[in-house]
């Protein structure tokens, strides 16, 4: 109805790529949760998790987002994201 699909596509085209940020401790961090993950059941993307795991190697660890709502955020993380991605 608003005829803005082209403009929205241009704005959203880069949202599928992880973003490299710098923490207060001057270390790098990959942030990628998609454009609508800042809600209770938001999860970071599988792509960001896989890139991060590859970068840290066997000795490192990755902290990922599972939402702050245990009723849907953690449930979605364990039941859907981990199973679909094969991440362990």
């Amino acid at each position: 109805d608003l005829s803005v699909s082209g403009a929205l596509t241009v704005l959203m085209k880069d949202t599928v790529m992880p973003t490299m940020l710098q923490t207060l401790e001057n270390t790098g961090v990959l942030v990628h949760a998609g454009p609508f993950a800042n809600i209770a059941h938001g999860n970071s993307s599988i792509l960001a998790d896989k890139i991060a795991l590859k970068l840290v190697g066997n000795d490192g660890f990755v902290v990922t987002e599972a939402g702050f709502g245990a009723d849907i955020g953690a449930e979605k993380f364990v039941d859907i994201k981990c199973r679909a991605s094969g991440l362990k």
Side-chain angles (χ1 to χ4, degrees), residues 7-65:
L8 287 176
T9 302
V10 170
L11 289 172
M12 300 294 280
K13 71 178 179 63
D14 293 329
T15 62
V16 298
M17 301 302 295
T19 304
M20 184 70 167
L21 300 175
Q22 184 176 359
T23 67
L24 293 174
E25 291 83 18
N26 297 319
T27 58
V29 61
L30 282 172
V31 176
H32 188 248
F36 306 108
N38 59 344
I39 52 179
H41 56 86
N43 283 248
S44 61
S45 71
I46 294 169
L47 175 64
D49 289 349
K50 287 185 175 184
I51 291 171
L53 287 167
K54 190 172 187 175
L55 289 173
V56 299
N58 294 333
D59 297 329
F61 62 92
V62 173
V63 177
T64 190
E65 176 66 43

Side-chain angles (χ1 to χ4, degrees), residues 64-76:
T64 190
E65 176 66 43
F68 60 82
D71 56 338
I72 192 167
E75 186 177 341
K76 179 179 160 186

